[in-house]
Amino acid sequence: MTSLVKGLDDGEVNSSGDFFAARMRVQQNFFGRTVIMELLKKRVLDLKEGYRQNVALFGNRYIGKTTILQHFLANLDEEITVLYIDVENKDFRFFLDQFVGTLLHHYSFSRKLPLYEDVALLLESVQESIPHTVSVIRKIYKDYHAKKLSTSFHGLLALPEIFTNETGRVCVLVLDEFHRLEEVTVPGAFAYLGKKIMTQKKCLYVVTSSSPQQAQKILSEKLSLLFGNFEMIPVDPLDPQTSREFIEETLQGIRIKEPLRDFLVDFTGGYPLYLQLVCKELAGLSVLHDQDEIFIPVLTQAIENTIFNRWGLISRHFELMVQELAAGKGNQIIPALLMCLANDKHKADDLCAELGFKRNQVAGKINRLREEGVIFKNGNFYYFRDKLLKYWIKYIFQPRLKNVGIGPEQHRELFQQEFQSCIENFKVTSTKDLPLRVMELLYCFDNEAFDLNGRKYKLPLFREILPWKISNEQGQSLNVIKALTNEDVWLIAVKGENVSEAEVSALLEESRKDAPKPRRHLIISLKTLDENTRLKALQERCWIWNEEEINTLLTLFNKPYISR
Ligand SMILES: Nc1ncnc2c1ncn2[C@@H]1O[C@H](COP(=O)(O)OP(=O)(O)O)[C@@H](O)[C@H]1O
Ligand SMILES: [Mg+2]
């Protein structure tokens, strides 16, 4: 190989770079994510037009960031040159080879040149077409071998511009798990990256991070000039409708009735990795038992295999996560803290009282859990967004630690009973009608303030909550909920389908009829209101909650999702 890489001092170039990653390896079944995909496509169109808006994707580990990137990159047109680098757990050499390798691989692909899986061969084959880029790359490798890592790194980050100037092609540079960049490359890497992002306007930067707090800090401090230049896109679990499609398509013709399917959507919280692993297990068990429909026993078995058994894939994943969190000095209290949180102790004071620790001790650990994206804060509430992790801690991890007197078989039986009652509870709850479920939710409020979709709401303790029927002068009638606190009255319209403009008017008219007490108007609709109705409602200072707001509250108060 040495002879092929003229100009490199020791000539040793990795051949392990997986340059197909960006173009070829695409998830067979890709679900949902339309809004993010549209946005990314739009950013590429803008780039071609000379306007660049960089993008940062944030979200928990395994939420699907890399999968989104794979789909996005696989569907880009050939004029765009892609550099995809996965920064996680890599070293400088990998970073270097991946950077150069994907660049040359993409260029070769678009020019129909041979697609070598080896940087040295790629360099040889593109030498004639892009001599300047090739000579810069050789210099970068030379610096690397001379242990001048900073010079080599700076050269590398300048490469997109050199390539663009030589070829006229625009680039998309993807740094997956970018917050690790400095660990992998050189000190001061972010500051230099910041400068390059500012000047290389023909390169669209897409970064991802599973550590939102850390990443945000880097973007706002180390890349401070650019903070406003990155559009921050949260990557959330899949919505209920997409999760249903996920289950149905992944089960490939094996039937599952609605209540069980919806249970699974809720149980996994729409996390694609969990859906994937449980569905795979379900499919395997169905073949084994020669069944073409999933019933409760097979579902229980699948959950047992993946989540209850110590070596089940999801169980193992959670176990390693807790182990990692609990490692290191002072972190031994983290498992106990996680158990408290999983047992619905949400506020700092309650956690301290339960654990018998000082406030600052607990606060430090909670911060760590938040940094790792395990725990979220809303108002004064700390909570798990990942329902399955919470379930595992409460019903699998905790009993294992606490019920030391009982054997593994008894543990299993207890788990099976618990799981089946979990399904039963879900079925009972999900068959209740929407207003009733909303009323049950309203009863949970306790004068706490919460953030719903970027807006803060103080949610009072209701003294009385009543179903109410109202009608206006035009004969329009509407079922609402009347909820009373000591100070005021709430009128709440609840509908699964669209609330009309006339119904909003009816709600407001009713309100003017009697009682000197101040009124709060709330419209709960699982479907987004049409624009006129929404504007009217906002004009009249009504609050509007859609599926997302309601499901945030349901998660906070430990109740199953409501979905359309
Ligand atoms: N939109 C999706 N459609 C289908 N499967 C998905 C989707 N998103 C994620 N997955 C599954 O979840 C796994 C973990 O996702 P990944 O993209 O690696 O997460 P992240 O990069 O956020 O850590 C993937 O390997 C894939 O099996
Ligand atoms: Mg990833």
Side-chain angles (χ1 to χ4, degrees), residues 27 29-33 59-68 176-177 210 238 246 272-274 276:
Q27 178 85 22
N29 287 321
F30 178 70
F31 299 97
R33 306 302 190 200
N60 275 33
R61 189 171 295 278
Y62 308 125
I63 200 77
K65 300 177 295 299
T66 302
T67 308
I68 290 172
D176 205 357
E177 303 295 355
S210 297
L238 300 175
F246 194 124
L273 180 69
Y274 308 153
Q276 177 86 17

Side-chain angles (χ1 to χ4, degrees), residues 359-475:
R359 208 183 162 112
N360 62 348
Q361 251 177 316
V362 171
K365 300 307 155 200
I366 286 181
N367 272 349
R368 178 163 151 71
L369 294 177
R370 287 181 64 198
E371 265 169 31
E372 295 294 331
V374 176
I375 290 297
F376 289 79
K377 187 177 188 201
N378 193 332
N380 290 324
F381 259 48
Y382 297 104
Y383 71 107
F384 288 94
R385 229 181 246 173
D386 184 341
K387 293 180 175 204
L388 192 56
L389 173 62
K390 178 178 177 181
Y391 179 90
W392 180 83
I393 292 174
K394 184 167 178 180
Y395 294 111
I396 296 167
F397 181 68
Q398 176 169 281
R400 241 192 247 155
L401 289 185
K402 297 203 167 160
N403 302 347
V404 281
I406 64 173
E409 268 323 299
Q410 258 175 304
H411 263 299
R412 186 178 304 280
E413 276 164 30
L414 284 176
F415 162 76
Q416 287 168 346
Q417 283 162 16
E418 167 49 49
F419 179 69
Q420 285 173 8
S421 72
C422 187
I423 299 179
E424 283 313 314
N425 282 343
F426 176 84
K427 280 189 181 166
V428 171
T429 312
S430 59
T431 46
K432 289 179 187 166
D433 67 4
L434 181 62
L436 185 59
R437 294 199 58 191
V438 170
M439 282 166 73
E440 288 178 356
L441 178 65
L442 296 174
Y443 269 120
C444 299
F445 296 172
D446 186 15
N447 284 325
E448 291 290 328
F450 290 107
D451 193 309
L452 302 177
N453 217 352
R455 284 193 60 176
K456 219 181 174 83
Y457 297 91
K458 176 98 192 278
L459 304 179
L461 179 70
F462 290 115
R463 181 165 59 71
E464 205 177 350
I465 301 173
L466 309 159
W468 202 256
K469 196 174 184 103
I470 59 173
S471 47
N472 65 0
E473 280 162 9
Q474 290 81 44

Side-chain angles (χ1 to χ4, degrees), residues 304 320 489 506:
E304 200 176 309
L320 288 173
V489 180

Side-chain angles (χ1 to χ4, degrees), residues 85-185:
I85 303 117
D86 174 8
V87 184
E88 181 126 78
N89 300 326
K90 304 294 178 332
D91 61 6
F92 191 101
R93 181 55 187 262
F94 180 91
F95 186 83
L96 172 56
D97 286 340
Q98 191 79 8
F99 202 113
V100 172
T102 53
L103 175 75
L104 298 183
H105 193 273
H106 266 264
Y107 178 73
S108 304
F109 184 86
S110 63
R111 294 288 313 271
K112 312 231 168 352
L113 293 167
L115 297 176
Y116 296 113
E117 268 295 290
D118 179 294
V119 176
L121 296 173
L122 285 169
L123 276 172
E124 281 299 304
S125 106
V126 301
Q127 167 80 50
E128 259 180 44
S129 339
I130 41 174
H132 183 51
T133 304
V134 168
S135 76
V136 172
I137 293 173
R138 290 191 193 284
K139 166 81 168 57
I140 292 168
Y141 273 96
K142 200 167 173 191
D143 289 330
Y144 169 75
H145 289 298
K147 306 229 170 346
K148 292 192 241 164
L149 293 193
S150 283
T151 319
S152 173
F153 180 72
H154 293 174
L156 203 53
L157 289 194
L159 202 54
E161 194 171 15
I162 286 159
F163 174 78
T164 300
N165 288 344
E166 190 166 19
T167 58
R169 286 161 186 256
V170 289
C171 295
V172 176
L173 172 55
V174 182
L175 296 174
D176 205 357
E177 303 295 355
F178 88 106
H179 58 279
R180 304 249 183 231
L181 185 68
E182 220 156 73
E183 287 162 42
V184 168
T185 59

